[in-house]
Amino acid sequence: MAAQFHLEIITPTKVYDEGQVDYLRAPGVDGAFGVMAGHTDSIMALDIGELKVVKGSVNKIYASTKGFAEITKTGVQLLVESAEPQSDIDLTRAQKAYERAKGHLNHGQNKMDDELRAQRAIARALNRLKVGKRK
Amino acid sequence: MANLKDIRKRIGSIESIKQVTRAMKLVAAAKLRRAQSNMEQARPYARRINGVLNHLLPDIDRTTHDLLTMRPARQMAFIILTSDRGLCGSFNTNILRQAELIVKGAGKEHSKLICIGRKGYEYFSKRGYDVVEHYSDFWNELNFSHAIKMASAVSDRYLAGEFDDVRVIFNEFKNVAQQEIVEYHYLPLVLEEDDEAVRTDYLFEPSKDEVVKSLVPRHLNIQMWRFLLESNAAEQAARMTSMEAATNNAGDLIDALRLEYNKARQAAITTEILEVVSGAEALVE
């Protein structure tokens, strides 16, 4: 059994303590990266995407949004604005949010920040849908 | 007797007011518990973000980030947090009075206001202040996305050069019986002395600058979230205390009225007996 490290996913509304895990894959802004025990101390900016946590033979997947990962000798702390375990994702809600944001984008007034906001909402909803539908 | 009936009616109405205030107190207590647990949950995240930013800021050239650059404060903005509803003691009155003093001190004509909560909006828009944005009717379903929405609206305006300095005025939750009005420097970013400094030398991915760029908005969001939570908890605490006081007062009033009622009843009975007795005596003679 390879060495393990401690993983915590910290969001403003909830802390998910994953305990000792073997492997983490996280969506960095320059592409996904993997973390195993003994990683160099680092701080990585994270993009909207999918977190994969491997604990023994169990895989766990989260849909997460922007934030960053703090990696130290003692463990990894992911600070993201939201993280949802795959099992908690409500697909119909995500689909609705997606359509709503899409509607905003198409029919909204042509204000720059509105457009940007709608695009962000779309990205979040799509991510949720993608992660939710994964087997 | 009319007097007796009046008192009975008053006792009845105060009784029902007392029921209402007691119910409001219980509701506020339940909401306060939820607000406090939200605050509890937000703390680890806020602390880490603050810690990392504190670690990074000394090494960063502030002028390369618009949200960090200090610029001469010609135009001020004040974010003022109040509640939507009243019946919470002096919660709104106090903060409105103090906020008005602060805004006047900075100069009414170069101050823009962002009012969170209906009370503040009503107060300041009536008095001719420049309220550029206001939010209400969200306290009951308060969640983190509200904080994101407000924080990005503020930073968008800040980046567009609408104002150069942003202060937040809100009620901080001290304990159930105490709120403290706090003025917080929101933008440009200044950091409180850190409670948990990061000592390690990190590898930054993609780069220090990029990490700061992505951290600053996160920090603003979580700060906004903290203001909302603090103010919400303080509001519920204020409501709970004032409704408790109201319930007690209603109880006192009922006791006093009941005493008066009994006195009046006794007086009535005594007069009646007197009438009967004097009538009987008149017959005997």
Side-chain angles (χ1 to χ4, degrees):
Chain A
M1 183 88 268
Q4 294 185 314
F5 61 95
H6 186 247
L7 173 68
E8 264 181 314
I9 303 173
I10 304 176
T11 74
T13 48
K14 200 173 171 155
V15 176
Y16 298 92
D17 192 342
E18 285 292 330
Q20 296 294 322
V21 303
D22 295 302
Y23 175 77
L24 160 76
R25 193 187 65 213
V29 287
D30 286 347
F33 60 86
V35 182
M36 296 178 90
H39 197 285
T40 319
D41 289 354
S42 37
I43 288 181
M44 315 244 190
L46 300 178
D47 211 346
I48 295 175
E50 173 189 297
L51 302 171
K52 184 179 171 192
V53 180
V54 179
K55 206 189 307 185
S57 56
V58 191
N59 288 0
K60 222 169 151 185
I61 294 175
Y62 286 88
S64 74
T65 57
K66 284 176 180 265
F68 67 96
E70 189 186 358
I71 302 167
T72 57
K73 292 273 170 295
T74 49
V76 176
Q77 290 185 316
L78 292 174
L79 290 116
V80 288
E81 289 199 326
S82 80
E84 274 177 292
Q86 191 182 21
S87 52
D88 286 4
I89 294 176
D90 182 345
L91 278 178
T92 38
R93 223 192 92 204
Q95 185 70 40
K96 278 208 190 97
Y98 172 68
E99 274 150 23
R100 203 170 47 236
K102 203 82 174 169
H104 272 298
L105 196 59
N106 293 334
H107 309 296
Q109 312 92 312
N110 261 347
K111 265 174 73 188
M112 255 305 282
D113 51 333
D114 280 354
E115 199 179 311
L116 207 69
R117 213 164 287 158
Q119 273 166 1
R120 280 189 213 132
I122 288 176
R124 277 197 306 272
L126 275 182
N127 180 46
R128 229 177 247 137
L129 285 173
K130 195 183 101 194
V131 175
K133 280 181 185 155
R134 256 183 85 113
K135 289 281 148 17
Chain B
M1 237 172 119
N3 194 20
L4 277 181
K5 205 178 157 206
D6 282 351
I7 297 178
R8 228 178 5 243
K9 253 172 90 182
R10 278 195 67 192
I11 292 181
S13 67
I14 292 170
E15 203 85 64
S16 54
I17 289 176
K18 187 177 158 187
Q19 269 173 14
V20 172
T21 55
R22 191 192 290 127
M24 285 185 74
K25 181 192 128 188
L26 293 176
V27 171
K31 286 188 177 168
L32 173 64
R33 257 198 304 281
R34 207 172 60 206
Q36 274 180 299
S37 91
N38 275 342
M39 276 163 66
E40 220 54 61
Q41 301 285 356
R43 218 161 272 153
Y45 181 85
R47 205 176 296 142
R48 292 311 296 147
I49 294 259
N50 211 23
V52 176
L53 260 182
N54 261 318
H55 172 74
L56 281 174
L57 277 192
D59 306 344
I60 288 288
D61 180 9
R62 272 181 171 266
T63 52
T64 56
H65 295 276
D66 288 333
L67 290 169
L68 300 177
T69 314
M70 302 283 184
R71 46 194 203 209
R74 273 184 295 272
Q75 188 74 44
M76 301 283 291
F78 294 93
I79 304 174
I80 298 158
L81 284 92
T82 56
S83 69
D84 275 351
R85 292 161 175 278
L87 290 183
C88 41
S90 54
F91 177 81
N92 288 313
T93 342
N94 283 346
I95 193 159
L96 289 174
R97 197 185 318 118
Q98 194 149 339
E100 193 167 18
L101 280 179
I102 295 172
V103 175
K104 274 190 180 148
K108 188 173 168 179
E109 52 295 345
H110 17 238
S111 299
K112 299 194 172 194
L113 303 188
I114 293 160
C115 295
I116 299 177
R118 187 182 300 120
K119 291 285 171 193
Y121 174 62
E122 282 169 359
Y123 185 89
F124 286 106
S125 59
K126 266 183 209 143
R127 283 165 180 74
Y129 286 87
D130 185 8
V131 180
V132 290
E133 207 149 341
H134 67 98
Y135 303 89
S136 55
D137 295 318
F138 62 89
W139 288 111
N140 277 335
E141 58 250 25
L142 185 63
N143 65 50
F144 191 64
S145 63
H146 291 117
I148 297 180
K149 198 169 110 199
M150 293 168 190
S152 46
V154 173
S155 44
D156 285 351
R157 282 171 185 277
Y158 178 83
L159 289 175
E162 245 185 80
F163 30 69
D164 314 296
D165 192 301
V166 184
R167 309 287 170 127
V168 182
I169 303 168
F170 69 105
N171 271 292
E172 194 177 51
F173 177 82
K174 283 272 162 218
N175 55 50
V176 178
Q178 229 184 340
Q179 301 93 41
E180 195 179 284
I181 295 170
V182 177
E183 184 185 351
Y184 181 89
H185 199 161
Y186 191 56
L187 277 172
L189 208 71
V190 278
L191 282 176
E192 308 128 45
E193 273 315 298
D194 57 329
D195 33 4
E196 205 177 302
V198 188
R199 291 126 305 185
T200 352
D201 270 321
Y202 286 108
L203 171 80
F204 288 93
E205 198 74 49
S207 69
K208 234 177 208 184
D209 264 12
E210 285 299 319
V211 170
V212 170
K213 210 174 266 172
S214 119
L215 257 175
V216 171
R218 303 285 94 71
H219 177 75
L220 294 177
N221 288 346
I222 186 71
Q223 285 302 322
M224 186 59 84
W225 179 233
R226 185 171 78 87
F227 303 144
L228 291 174
L229 291 178
E230 290 273 358
S231 179
N232 190 29
E235 176 196 337
Q236 299 308 342
R239 180 162 294 126
M240 198 178 98
T241 355
S242 72
M243 284 304 113
E244 169 146 27
T247 310
N248 290 339
N249 286 344
D252 290 349
L253 210 54
I254 289 171
D255 286 348
L257 281 173
R258 205 158 268 154
L259 189 67
E260 204 180 315
Y261 176 80
N262 286 337
K263 271 188 192 158
R265 198 174 54 110
Q266 276 299 330
I269 293 171
T270 316
T271 344
E272 261 171 48
I273 291 176
L274 223 64
E275 273 165 14
V276 172
V277 170
S278 52
E281 268 174 14
L283 278 181
V284 169
E285 272 167 25

